[in-house]
Amino acid sequence: MKKLLLLLILISNFALAQMPNISNVWLNNSKPYTGTIGNSKEGIKLKINTSEQNKKNDQEYFVSGYSLVDKTYSKLEGNLTITKYKDGKKKSTVYGEYEFAEENKGKHSGIFKGKFIYTFNWNKTTEKIEAQYIEFIGNWKSYDETLDFKTRLKNQ
């Protein structure tokens, strides 16, 4: 009987547990994410200016900002969805998927889509996150579907 009661308490804790609001993480301390796009590994910057946790699904975040490739600047908005969380003694990891849609301004605008990894260390003494690393790995596809490039971005 005690085991059954313990199991029910454990299950209810998981069911009622809520993901903490980590929307500030995606802002990357007001710095752009940098990386490459395409086979020629052209430089790309992606800056997230606003980030908000979905009130109905605490695993999802709505974001907006811009992308910059060469001299092509595009506003974008989209979402990040957490799919898995691994809590380690020293290093924790958050896995998820993202989709960012650029403002449709012609051939060089499209959708970023892929997976992300966010790793960090939790300092128990200061109760702060340290050594954050965020990487977005995916593709960018133009709206007219004539261009399709691999992308890789990370925080600075």
Side-chain angles (χ1 to χ4, degrees):
M1 186 67 177
K2 286 183 181 180
K3 286 183 181 181
L4 180 61
L5 182 61
L6 184 61
L7 181 63
L8 288 174
I9 291 172
L10 188 61
I11 290 171
S12 67
N13 283 342
F14 279 116
L16 299 174
Q18 185 172 356
M19 177 72 182
N21 186 348
I22 58 170
S23 56
N24 284 340
V25 165
W26 314 121
L27 299 175
N28 193 30
N29 296 316
S30 297
K31 295 177 186 169
Y33 295 91
T34 58
T36 59
I37 184 169
N39 294 333
S40 62
K41 302 210 186 284
E42 188 167 2
I44 182 173
K45 290 185 179 182
L46 189 139
K47 175 113 174 12
I48 295 176
N49 293 325
T50 61
S51 174
E52 183 179 312
Q53 188 177 37
N54 183 342
K55 290 175 179 36
K56 293 181 181 175
N57 175 4
D58 62 6
Q59 306 293 307
E60 182 177 36
Y61 294 84
F62 301 118
V63 297
S64 67
Y66 68 87
S67 64
L68 180 64
V69 179
D70 193 25
K71 293 179 182 168
T72 303
Y73 170 89
S74 295
K75 291 180 181 178
L76 60 80
E77 57 184 37
N79 62 38
L80 297 125
T81 304
I82 293 170
T83 57
K84 184 178 178 183
Y85 174 68
K86 285 176 62 179
D87 190 14
K89 292 196 188 267
K90 291 198 176 198
K91 184 166 108 174
S92 296
T93 307
V94 176
Y95 299 92
E97 298 173 350
Y98 68 91
E99 184 171 321
F100 307 138
E102 293 178 312
E103 184 176 44
N104 193 348
K105 294 183 359 182
K107 185 174 180 147
H108 295 282
S109 57
I111 296 177
F112 293 91
K113 195 173 186 176
K115 298 188 181 295
F116 70 83
I117 295 177
Y118 166 45
T119 59
F120 61 92
N121 297 338
W122 178 253
N123 185 324
K124 290 180 184 175
T125 307
T126 63
E127 294 190 357
K128 291 189 178 181
I129 290 174
E130 296 176 347
Q132 292 189 92
Y133 179 75
I134 304 169
E135 186 170 24
F136 296 97
I137 303 163
N139 291 322
W140 174 88
K141 192 172 199 174
S142 63
Y143 286 115
D144 65 7
E145 298 185 359
T146 59
L147 302 171
D148 190 352
F149 299 122
K150 293 208 177 299
T151 59
R152 189 172 208 119
L153 294 148
K154 61 183 178 178
N155 64 329
Q156 300 178 359

